């Protein structure tokens, strides 16, 4: 199933990893470039199809206007909110500093 | 005594009749867990004490003559991507290793309200991404029929638990075949209901527009019993269908008169000899028992795999963004929050999850959205309209559940595309949101179980149960 | 590159004229909706609570949780759309994907290519107009604060996050780039705020952050047809900052071009201490938001019937309320000078008590002045004024039975004591009516007592008027009406 043509470049793989907040080793970059290229090459069969007049489906079921009433229900206990936090301080989630502010 | 485990439905009856206590039943299942799980790794976590305690409460209710639920005292296993506030919920990922949800999924609430006993949480491919359970961060589950082979995935733990009597029934989730494929590989029944029939609230999302929770059982009737309990409208899930409830048990053990069964032309060419023969013998049984067999065509079905592998990773890349080390789960520190997020995600996710996040991020990224994601959505429309035409002619479609029986560990690990091909027959139902069931039927050349899949139009869950149950009966009679 | 940002309006206008540039400004205004609960869950929508007490699996973005749309939030968004003359249409929700620690799911549910409201406009008080491209629904983020163990502000050793605000419903109103100056931007935001607050959908409090403004600013030479590269200034939380930031940014961009550099497309932040905008991030890969339809939500198709119902149940639009007041004042000579008072009356929600009071027959000009000056200090009480008693009070003033000063005194007591009638208040305050007869008697007495002064007055020495008024005020213990005293004095001068 390997294509002659590469469907994604190393640079694109690195760009995508940055968008997805992943750090890839050199080995992973090489491996993912080949594997993603394989998969995208396979999926490239879709590009041959004439689908101009077909509308996209986001949902397998046809539903619309699903609402909730604007009525307050109890929130969960602060202790339960914080129990899973890797780090917390004064009932807040604590993280290393945000740089760009 | 071997027969005892063959029907959850009958165990439930015996508990209700007070001819056996739930405590005794739960203990029997725990005996199996204790003797088998260390080798097979179906369960990631169990809580015997809590289960026994719950069983005793149910027994007291029954002895006091109180009304009990339809699953009263029945031991159930839950795939570990469904939130439970009594158990950690890990998605078999390092990134959620210690996570204890502060809430129960809607299906868990429903099981509890029917007095089911939850034994523990079962293994899966990390975040339900995989077809072999090899991608679990906590080690693979083994196929109980042949432990050198995979149990299928992603719900491999649930399938293995039911097959080996470590649970009477189990819940799994099915995004591209993750219930039906392991059911087929392990030789049990697995069903994916219509999208929206079972609430997704509390199911940790892989691909939101494809995910659906469904049951595993030894029999179609057991699956119908569980479906009765877990289906129904949920105001906490916007995509939950608000329709009249049905009793799926009534569709079991019916005859096949007047039933029209479709065979997909396009699948002919991809079936190898043994699979074709297996499908033919199922078809013959149906024909001999009053069903009408019709050749049907789904021209776009051959693009289903491509479509799926653009849509599912795209949605996954967004659904899995929240695992960033800020609020819960693993945190790997960094000098600033950005570094912390990158370090956490890089060390927390396994290879398959990373691969799909990468693929999905790419499919959604600027400049490629139209070519990949949007085109895939259009294909989805085309496939749905194909199905619509077919279901004007037939009640159900039958096809193999998988292109092969269970494969050996490592066989497809280095070739993700080959691994993805395992889903070729199961994916179309997810894309269309339709119900489908896999019923054990025949074996492959290695003696591994195979499944026949029955597909029906959206909301025709009753039809897949009806025809699935009939096939089960014919198989044992034959 | 530094320049004082408190450049006055004329400076920047002169600067643009001198350099031959013009500015193009578009604003994105985020306003929080006044719903009882959040957008996707039933947690309370409330400001100023203990951190992380108004959260649940949904607004914390916990794995497995799902959003369900708040119907009232949709209704409020539609109100805003209607008030901004938008087309209300079928829409869907999208996910906007980017990582930020105060965003629990690391994506924001928003609307993208098909917003609920599109293509509207706002008419400014000076008759100008600003187009509205869209007004869409989205969710707010949590709030992060810098924390420093050493206590020094600039040494930020950690960030603390509170998610109480996460998931509060917002409407983002995107203007067309029709704005050409900071003054126009301020006028637009002021009018926009008044319009949407009048719908009851939002309280528009910039100081509490319930209304926030982002400004897109670009400059170009007047003769150029293409727009220049724009910069976005984020999170302006007062009109003052908005004006200063825009002026600073215009000057910075023109200076940049004049010195031969290019304007780089950026997101900038207005630093109030430095009075200048600073780079937040350059728009490169961070801006690939990978929008796609939110699969956990279904399409939002409000339909004509519901939109009509919302329209019918909506409070009257600001512009209609102003027109109603203007209609009640059409006989008034000085109506043109009173336009801003009319706007204030409506913004303070005092137009209803005004309408009732004038309906009973009170003088509209006096009613307007009292309500927008004296009563404005006690708005709640003013909204509950008894129109009958208030109308009677205005009638006494109109008939010169009491002075303006007396009238104001009584009004302030009336606001404090809503249950007391006008007569009781007058007697409690010992208000003596100095009408024409009483005042004439006093004036005549004074003329008799001070013949010399009156002689000088008759000769034309108008300064003596003040002397007479002072004397009469003393005699009346401050209760006489100065205007009336002057009138009577004039009459006496002509008589003698």
């Amino acid at each position: 199933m390997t294509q002659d043509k590469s469907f994604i470049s190393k640079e694109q793989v690195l760009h995508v990893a940055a968008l997805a907040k992943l750090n890839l080793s050199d080995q992973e970059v090489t491996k993912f470039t080949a594997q993603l290229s394989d998969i995208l090459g396979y999926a490239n069969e879709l590009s041959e199809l004439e689908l101009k007049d077909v509308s996209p489906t986001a949902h397998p079921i046809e539903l619309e206007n699903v609402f909730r009433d604007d009525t307050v229900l109890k929130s969960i206990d602060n202790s339960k909110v914080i129990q899973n936090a890797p780090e917390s301080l004064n009932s807040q989630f604590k993280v290393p500093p945000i740089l760009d502010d | 005594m071997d027969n005892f485990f063959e029907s959850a439905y009958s165990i439930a009856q015996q508990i209700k009749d007070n001819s056996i206590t739930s405590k005794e039943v739960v203990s029997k299942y725990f005996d199996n867990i204790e003797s088998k799980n260390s080798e097979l790794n179906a369960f990631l976590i169990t809580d015997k004490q809590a289960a026994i305690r719950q069983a005793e409460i149910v027994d007291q209710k029954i002895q006091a003559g109180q009304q009990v639920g339809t699953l009263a005292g029945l031991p159930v296993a839950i795939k570990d991507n469904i939130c439970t506030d009594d158990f950690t919920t890990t998605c078999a990922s390092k990134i959620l290793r210690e996570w204890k949800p502060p809430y129960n999924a809607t299906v868990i609430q429903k099981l509890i309200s029917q007095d089911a006993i939850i034994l523990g949480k079962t293994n899966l491919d990390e975040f339900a991404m995989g077809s072999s359970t090899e991608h679990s961060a906590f080690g693979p589950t083994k196929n109980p029929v042949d432990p050198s082979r995979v149990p299928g995935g992603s719900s491999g733990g649930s399938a293995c638990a039911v097959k080996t009597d470590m649970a009477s029934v189990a819940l799994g989730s099915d995004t591209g075949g993750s219930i039906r494929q392991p059911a087929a590989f392990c030789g049990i029944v697995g069903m994916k209901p219509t999208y929206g029939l079972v609430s997704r609230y509390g199911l940790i999302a892989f691909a939101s527009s494809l995910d659906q929770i469904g049951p595993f059982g030894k029999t179609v009737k057991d699956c119908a019993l569980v479906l009765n309990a877990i289906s129904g409208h949920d105001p906490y899930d916007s995509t939950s269908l608000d329709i009249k409830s049905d009793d799926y048990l009534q569709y079991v053990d019916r005859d096949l008169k007047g039933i029209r069964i479709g065979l997909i032309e396009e699948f002919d060419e991809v079936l190898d000899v043994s699979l074709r023969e297996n499908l033919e013998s199922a078809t013959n049984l149906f024909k001999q028992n009053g069903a009408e067999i019709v050749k049907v065509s789904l021209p776009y079905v051959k693009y289903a795999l491509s479509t799926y592998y653009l849509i599912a990773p795209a949605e996954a890349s967004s659904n899995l963004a929240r695992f960033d080390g800020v609020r819960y789960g693993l945190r790997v520190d960094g000098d600033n929050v950005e570094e912390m997020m990158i370090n956490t995600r890089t060390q927390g996710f396994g290879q398959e999850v990373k691969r799909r996040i990468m693929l999905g991020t790419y499919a959604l990224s600027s400049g490629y959205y139209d070519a990949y994601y949007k085109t895939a959505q259009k294909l989805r429309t085309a496939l749905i309209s194909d199905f619509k035409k077919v279901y004007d002619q037939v009640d159900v479609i039958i096809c193999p559940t998988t292109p092969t029986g269970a494969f050996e560990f490592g066989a497809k690990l280095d070739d993700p595309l080959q691994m993805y091909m395992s889903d070729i027959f199961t994916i179309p139902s997810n894309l269309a949101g339709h119900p489908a069931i896999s019923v054990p039927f025949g074996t492959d050349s290695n003696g591994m179980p195979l499944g026949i899949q029955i597909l029906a139009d959206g909301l025709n869950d009753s039809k897949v149960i009806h025809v699935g149950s009939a096939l089960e009966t014919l198989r044992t009679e034959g | 590159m530094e320049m004082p940002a408190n450049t006055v309006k004329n400076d920047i206008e002169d600067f643009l004229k001198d350099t031959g540039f013009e500015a193009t400004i578009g604003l994105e205004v985020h306003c929080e909706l006044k719903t009882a609960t959040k957008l996707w869950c039933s947690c309370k929508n409330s400001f100023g609570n203990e951190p992380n007490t108004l959260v649940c699996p949904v607004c914390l973005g916990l794995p497995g949780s799902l959003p369900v749309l708040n119907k009232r939030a949709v209704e409020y968004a539609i109100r805003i759309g209607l008030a901004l003359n938008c087309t209300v249409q079928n829409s869907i929700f999208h996910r906007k994907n980017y990582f930020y620690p105060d965003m629990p799911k690391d994506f924001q549910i928003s609307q993208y290519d098909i917003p609920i409201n599109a293509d509207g406009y706002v008419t400014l008080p000076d008759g100008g107009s600003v187009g509205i491209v869209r007004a869409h629904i989205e969710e707010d983020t949590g709030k992060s604060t810098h924390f420093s163990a050493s206590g020094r502000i600039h040494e930020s050793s950690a960030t603390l996050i509170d998610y109480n605000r996460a998931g509060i419903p917002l409407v983002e109103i995107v203007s067309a780039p029709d704005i050409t100056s900071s003054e126009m931007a301020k006028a637009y935001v002021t009018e926009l705020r008044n319009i949407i607050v009048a719908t009851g959908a939002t309280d528009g409090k910039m100081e509490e952050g319930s209304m926030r403004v982002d400004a897109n600013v670009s400059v170009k030479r007047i003769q150029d047809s293409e727009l220049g590269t724009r910069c976005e200034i984020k999170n302006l939380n007062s009109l003052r900052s908005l004006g200063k930031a825009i002026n600073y940014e215009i000057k910075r961009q023109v200076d940049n071009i004049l010195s031969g550099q290019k304007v780089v497309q950026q997101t900038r932040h207005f630093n109030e201490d430095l009075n200048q905008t600073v780079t937040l991030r350059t728009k490169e890969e961070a801006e690939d938001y990978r929008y796609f339809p939110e699969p956990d939500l279904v399409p939002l198709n409000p339909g004509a019937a519901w939109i009509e119902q919302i329209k019918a149940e909506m409070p009257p639009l600001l512009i209609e309320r102003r027109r109603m007041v203007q209609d009640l004042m059409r006989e008034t000579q000085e109506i043109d000078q009173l336009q801003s008072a009319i706007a204030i009356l409506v913004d303070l929600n005092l137009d209803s008590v005004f309408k009732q009071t004038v309906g009973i027959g009170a003088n509209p000009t006096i009613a307007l002045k009292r309500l927008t000056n004296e009563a404005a200090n006690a708005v709640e009480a003013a909204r509950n004024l008894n129109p009958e008693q208030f109308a009677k009070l205005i009638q006494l003033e109109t008939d010169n039975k009491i002075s303006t000063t007396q009238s104001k005194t009584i009004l302030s007591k009336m606001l404090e004591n809503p249950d007391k009638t006008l007569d009781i208040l007058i007697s409690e305050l010992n208000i003596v009516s100095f009408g024409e007869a009483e005042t004439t008697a006093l004036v005549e007495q004074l003329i008799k007592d001070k013949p010399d002064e009156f002689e000088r007055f008759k000769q034309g020495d108008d300064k003596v008027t003040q002397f007479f008024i002072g004397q009469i005020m003393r005699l009346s213990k401050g209760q006489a009406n100065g205007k009336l005293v002057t009138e009577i004095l004039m009459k006496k001068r002509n008589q003698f």
Side-chain angles (χ1 to χ4, degrees):
Chain A
M1 206 65 65
T2 307
Q3 312 284 320
D4 294 338
K5 191 178 153 208
S6 185
F7 283 87
I8 188 167
S9 68
K10 278 191 177 184
E11 291 69 34
Q12 284 171 311
V13 165
L14 286 168
H15 170 72
V16 168
L19 279 177
K21 296 269 183 279
L22 292 170
N23 233 338
L24 301 184
S25 66
D26 291 349
Q27 221 181 345
E28 282 176 315
V29 174
T30 307
K31 188 179 75 181
F32 281 151
T33 306
Q35 290 176 340
L36 295 187
S37 192
D38 255 12
I39 299 163
L40 292 167
Y42 181 81
N44 197 47
E45 63 179 10
L46 303 188
S47 66
E48 306 150 12
L49 299 169
E50 181 52 62
L51 295 163
K52 249 208 309 268
D53 299 327
V54 182
S55 60
T57 295
H59 270 285
I61 44 168
E62 286 173 25
L63 275 178
E64 57 173 32
N65 297 337
V66 175
F67 299 122
R68 177 177 62 75
D69 284 339
D70 189 24
T71 311
V72 178
L73 298 177
K74 210 174 157 313
S75 298
I76 52 178
D77 268 7
N78 185 265
S79 60
K80 275 201 158 188
V81 172
I82 295 296
Q83 78 181 7
N84 283 302
E87 238 189 301
S88 66
L89 183 75
N90 303 333
S91 298
Q92 302 205 58
F93 293 86
K94 189 177 170 195
V95 294
I98 297 174
L99 275 192
D100 59 3
D101 244 327
Chain B
M1 204 60 206
D2 254 9
N3 250 344
F4 173 79
F5 295 105
E6 290 312 302
S7 161
Y9 182 83
S10 114
I11 295 172
Q13 289 302 320
Q14 293 172 52
I15 295 173
K16 224 168 273 181
D17 296 349
N18 213 357
S19 52
I20 189 167
T21 63
S22 171
K23 186 178 173 180
E24 288 172 278
V25 171
V26 170
S27 302
K28 279 175 191 284
Y29 279 92
F30 265 103
D31 289 347
N32 291 335
I33 292 173
E34 280 153 15
S35 66
K36 296 175 185 173
N37 193 55
S38 58
E39 197 218 333
L40 297 173
N41 199 28
F43 278 99
L44 295 173
I45 187 172
T46 54
D47 189 341
K48 186 175 179 180
Q49 277 189 332
I52 297 284
R53 208 165 45 238
Q54 291 301 316
E56 285 169 349
I57 293 171
V58 172
D59 288 335
Q60 279 161 18
K61 277 199 204 173
I62 290 170
Q63 277 144 28
Q66 289 174 24
Q67 185 82 26
V68 288
T70 54
L71 303 178
L74 212 54
V76 181
I78 307 293
K79 188 179 183 180
D80 203 24
N81 61 350
I82 298 173
C83 288
T84 44
D85 71 3
D86 285 336
F87 296 94
T88 51
T89 300
T90 67
C91 284
S93 179
K94 259 177 16 192
I95 214 159
L96 275 180
R97 185 193 285 269
E98 306 287 331
W99 189 54
K100 200 157 179 210
Y103 75 110
N104 272 331
T106 299
V107 288
I108 300 298
Q109 287 300 130
K110 283 179 178 274
L111 290 179
I112 292 172
S113 75
Q114 294 300 333
D115 296 313
I117 310 297
I118 294 169
L119 304 180
K121 307 294 286 292
T122 58
N123 201 9
L124 62 152
D125 286 295
E126 183 178 4
F127 283 100
M129 295 176 187
S131 309
S132 66
T133 324
E134 288 170 292
H135 295 298
S136 166
F138 308 129
T141 298
K142 289 177 182 161
N143 191 312
V145 181
D146 174 356
S148 70
R149 293 176 185 272
V150 303
S154 63
S155 316
S158 283
C160 175
V162 170
K163 176 68 179 179
T164 54
D165 306 323
M166 292 195 267
S168 68
V169 289
L171 294 189
S173 67
D174 190 316
T175 306
S178 280
I179 291 175
R180 291 160 287 160
Q181 188 252 22
F185 277 14
C186 291
I188 59 167
V189 182
M191 178 180 176
K192 181 201 98 72
T194 296
Y195 184 87
L197 192 67
V198 178
S199 168
R200 291 184 297 116
Y201 189 76
L203 168 66
I204 299 180
F206 160 13
S208 312
S209 77
L210 302 161
D211 295 342
Q212 188 61 194
I213 293 174
F216 284 97
K218 285 260 177 80
T219 66
V220 174
K221 194 173 191 176
D222 288 354
C223 287
L225 178 70
V226 176
L227 186 61
N228 275 350
I230 62 173
S231 58
H233 180 242
D234 180 11
Y236 287 96
D237 176 358
S238 305
T239 61
S240 165
L241 294 164
D242 195 357
I243 50 166
K244 221 178 108 222
S245 66
D246 201 350
D247 175 11
Y248 296 101
L249 282 169
Q250 65 175 305
Y251 303 103
V252 173
D253 296 331
R254 288 191 179 187
D255 66 35
L256 289 167
K257 279 197 195 78
I259 295 287
R260 294 161 306 165
I261 295 175
L263 287 171
I264 303 171
E265 263 174 37
E266 286 76 9
F267 282 168
D268 280 351
E269 49 196 89
V270 293
L271 295 182
D272 70 18
V273 182
S274 64
L275 267 130
R276 191 176 305 147
E277 284 172 2
N278 196 44
L279 182 62
E280 269 168 17
S281 59
T283 309
N284 287 335
L285 276 180
F286 282 130
K287 218 188 291 184
Q288 288 155 17
N289 286 276
E292 182 191 343
I293 306 296
V294 184
K295 273 269 173 196
V296 295
S297 170
L298 290 167
Y300 281 103
V301 81
K302 61 178 179 174
Y303 302 107
L305 193 68
S306 293
T307 304
Y308 176 85
Y309 275 97
L310 294 174
I311 290 175
E315 292 182 6
S317 72
S318 174
N319 284 330
L320 269 60
R322 70 190 68 190
F323 301 99
D324 60 6
V326 173
R327 291 158 297 273
Y328 44 78
L330 179 74
R331 173 182 294 184
V332 180
D333 252 315
D335 287 342
N336 57 63
V337 76
E338 161 108 9
E339 268 183 29
M340 182 278 282
M341 286 178 166
I342 292 173
N343 294 343
T344 300
R345 292 169 62 78
T346 299
Q347 294 188 34
F349 291 135
Q351 288 293 299
E352 182 60 25
V353 171
K354 285 184 190 169
R355 185 155 40 235
R356 299 211 196 184
I357 289 176
M358 298 278 296
L359 181 57
T361 304
Y362 182 67
L364 290 176
S365 68
S366 151
Y368 300 98
Y369 179 84
D370 282 357
Y372 290 119
Y373 191 74
K374 200 161 183 190
T375 303
Q377 283 198 321
K378 288 180 168 189
L379 246 303
R380 205 169 172 179
T381 309
L383 181 67
I384 289 171
S385 93
D386 271 3
F387 269 121
K388 201 166 275 168
K389 282 176 216 152
V390 167
Y391 287 125
D392 284 342
Q393 307 162 51
V394 298
D395 296 297
V396 297
I397 291 170
I398 60 166
C399 65
T401 308
T402 56
T404 64
F407 44 87
E408 290 177 327
F409 282 105
K412 300 181 178 187
L413 216 43
D414 294 329
D415 192 344
L417 190 52
Q418 276 309 309
M419 184 77 94
Y420 298 170
M421 296 282 185
S422 328
D423 303 334
I424 189 161
F425 300 131
T426 45
I427 277 172
S429 304
N430 297 87
L431 289 172
H434 294 167
I437 199 166
S438 174
V439 176
F441 193 88
T443 51
D444 70 3
S445 53
N446 300 309
M448 295 305 291
L450 291 171
I452 290 290
Q453 199 184 188
I454 295 128
L455 325 179
D457 200 2
L459 289 177
N460 285 280
D461 302 70
S462 55
K463 284 186 182 168
V464 308
I465 288 170
H466 174 176
V467 177
S469 163
L471 179 61
E472 201 172 52
T473 311
L474 297 174
R475 180 194 67 204
T476 39
E477 285 169 358
Chain C
M1 262 318 224
E2 297 211 3
M3 164 193 110
N6 51 350
T7 319
V8 288
K9 171 187 169 192
N10 290 339
D11 283 355
I12 198 83
E13 275 180 12
D14 289 347
F15 173 76
L16 285 173
K17 207 175 289 167
D18 292 347
T19 51
F21 276 81
E22 61 188 13
T24 304
I25 301 159
L27 299 182
E28 292 167 13
V29 176
H30 293 82
C31 54
E32 287 181 358
L33 301 181
K34 275 193 336 198
T35 50
T37 63
K38 294 187 179 183
L39 187 52
W40 313 118
C41 65
S42 304
C43 285
K44 196 170 169 193
N45 170 4
S46 166
F47 176 79
N49 296 271
E50 287 299 309
N52 295 309
T53 52
L54 301 179
V55 290
C56 73
V58 177
C59 57
L60 273 175
L62 293 190
S65 67
L66 297 170
V68 184
L69 181 57
N70 181 341
K71 189 171 187 185
R72 174 88 51 164
V74 177
E75 185 187 321
Y76 282 175
I78 292 175
R79 282 191 192 185
I80 288 175
L82 292 172
L84 300 178
N85 308 295
C86 290
T87 304
V88 181
Q89 58 188 13
N90 291 351
S91 65
I92 60 168
F93 290 92
H94 270 71
R95 288 187 186 175
K96 181 181 185 180
N97 293 287
Y98 63 104
F99 287 85
Y100 208 75
D102 64 11
M103 209 165 47
K105 303 181 290 294
D106 286 299
F107 60 77
Q108 181 192 33
I109 305 177
S110 180
Q111 297 193 296
Y112 181 49
D113 50 357
I114 335 175
I116 183 161
N117 303 302
D119 295 328
Y121 60 87
V122 166
T123 306
L124 301 183
D126 69 0
S129 173
V130 175
I132 301 293
V133 177
R134 53 193 283 140
H136 69 255
I137 303 171
E138 63 182 31
E139 59 180 331
D140 209 343
T141 62
K143 238 177 174 169
S144 51
T145 45
H146 296 291
F147 166 78
S148 163
S150 67
R152 275 170 294 183
I153 291 168
H154 291 292
E155 189 188 297
S156 167
S157 61
T159 297
L160 298 181
I161 310 168
D162 167 18
Y163 292 103
N164 281 348
R165 200 181 68 180
I168 285 180
L170 296 175
V171 165
E172 178 178 341
I173 301 159
V174 181
S175 86
D178 293 345
I179 299 164
T180 52
S181 69
S182 60
E183 288 307 307
M184 187 174 174
K186 279 154 61 176
Y188 162 74
V189 171
T190 305
E191 185 65 3
L192 177 73
R193 184 189 164 282
N194 291 339
I195 292 170
I196 62 179
V197 168
T199 65
T202 176
D203 61 17
K205 286 181 185 155
M206 286 186 93
E207 65 282 5
E208 281 185 12
S210 79
M211 182 167 164
R212 308 187 286 271
V213 183
D214 301 339
N216 283 295
V217 179
S218 71
V219 299
K220 67 172 188 70
R221 287 179 210 274
I222 291 168
Q223 66 271 20
D224 290 348
S225 54
E226 241 172 76
L227 290 180
T229 304
R230 69 193 163 94
C231 288
E232 184 179 19
I233 314 160
K234 282 272 184 205
N235 267 330
L236 297 160
N237 52 17
S238 70
L239 286 177
R240 205 168 135 265
S241 299
L242 173 70
K244 284 180 171 186
I246 288 174
N247 283 347
Y248 179 89
E249 192 56 24
I250 291 172
K251 175 103 180 4
R252 186 189 71 87
Q253 291 185 15
V254 172
D255 283 344
N256 232 328
I257 296 170
L258 289 177
S259 66
Q261 292 167 286
K262 269 189 178 164
V263 176
V264 182
Q265 191 177 347
Q266 287 178 331
T267 302
R268 297 178 72 85
H269 163 75
F270 182 65
N271 184 318
E272 309 215 8
D273 300 329
L274 298 174
N275 260 334
Q276 52 183 262
T277 64
V278 292
T279 306
L280 204 57
R281 55 180 179 266
T282 304
K283 299 207 169 193
E284 282 166 12
E285 63 183 34
E287 290 291 302
D288 192 343
Y289 291 129
R290 291 158 283 136
Y291 281 101
F292 75 104
E294 166 57 278
D296 289 328
L297 291 167
V298 299
L300 171 56
N301 301 335
W306 192 30
I307 296 171
E308 277 312 308
Q309 189 195 337
I310 291 170
K311 204 184 271 182
E313 290 169 359
M314 200 162 128
L317 293 179
L318 187 72
I319 208 149
E320 290 164 7
R321 289 165 59 190
R322 286 183 190 157
R323 198 172 297 136
M324 185 270 292
V325 178
Q326 284 156 354
D327 281 352
L328 290 171
M329 300 200 66
R330 40 174 195 269
E331 317 267 297
T332 311
Q333 302 287 323
E334 34 182 348
I335 182 151
D336 285 345
Q337 285 93 65
L338 292 173
Q339 288 300 353
S340 71
I342 291 173
I344 291 168
L345 180 83
V346 172
D347 293 344
L348 293 176
N349 276 326
L350 293 173
D351 46 330
S352 160
V353 66
F354 172 84
K355 185 181 169 189
Q356 296 174 59
T357 308
V358 172
I360 298 169
N363 178 306
T365 308
I366 296 177
L368 179 67
K369 284 182 176 169
R370 291 293 159 271
L371 284 172
T372 52
N373 292 313
E374 286 71 40
N377 299 320
V379 180
E380 266 317 307
R383 285 182 199 137
N384 295 315
L385 269 175
N386 180 329
E388 229 165 276
Q389 301 299 315
F390 184 39
K392 270 193 196 167
L393 173 66
I394 292 169
Q395 196 58 46
L396 288 181
E397 188 182 341
T398 315
D399 296 345
N400 277 332
K401 297 265 172 57
I402 56 171
S403 69
T404 302
T405 312
Q406 284 176 323
S407 174
K408 288 177 183 173
T409 309
I410 296 168
L411 178 57
S412 79
K413 279 287 163 201
M414 192 180 269
L415 289 166
E416 286 167 21
N417 303 285
D419 299 332
K420 291 184 178 167
T421 63
L422 179 63
D423 294 343
I424 291 174
L425 290 171
I426 287 175
S427 85
E428 280 183 5
L429 285 165
N430 284 320
I431 298 281
V432 182
S433 171
F434 275 79
E436 190 141 8
E438 293 86 346
T439 313
T440 308
L442 267 184
V443 170
E444 283 169 355
Q445 183 60 43
L446 199 60
I447 290 170
K448 233 184 258 171
D449 294 350
K450 306 279 180 189
D452 293 353
E453 282 80 357
F454 187 63
E455 199 54 34
R456 271 166 52 205
F457 176 65
K458 269 187 6 186
Q459 304 299 323
D461 187 349
D462 282 347
K463 273 182 279 181
V464 191
T465 320
Q466 289 311 313
F467 167 75
F468 276 105
I469 291 175
Q471 289 294 312
I472 286 173
M473 284 301 175
R474 196 172 54 81
L475 288 170
S476 72
K477 297 193 176 69
Q479 296 206 21
N481 182 342
K483 231 166 51 190
L484 196 55
V485 175
T486 313
E487 269 172 39
I488 294 167
L489 273 173
M490 292 302 174
K491 233 189 273 172
K492 293 289 168 199
R493 174 155 75 181
N494 298 339
Q495 272 175 22
F496 287 94

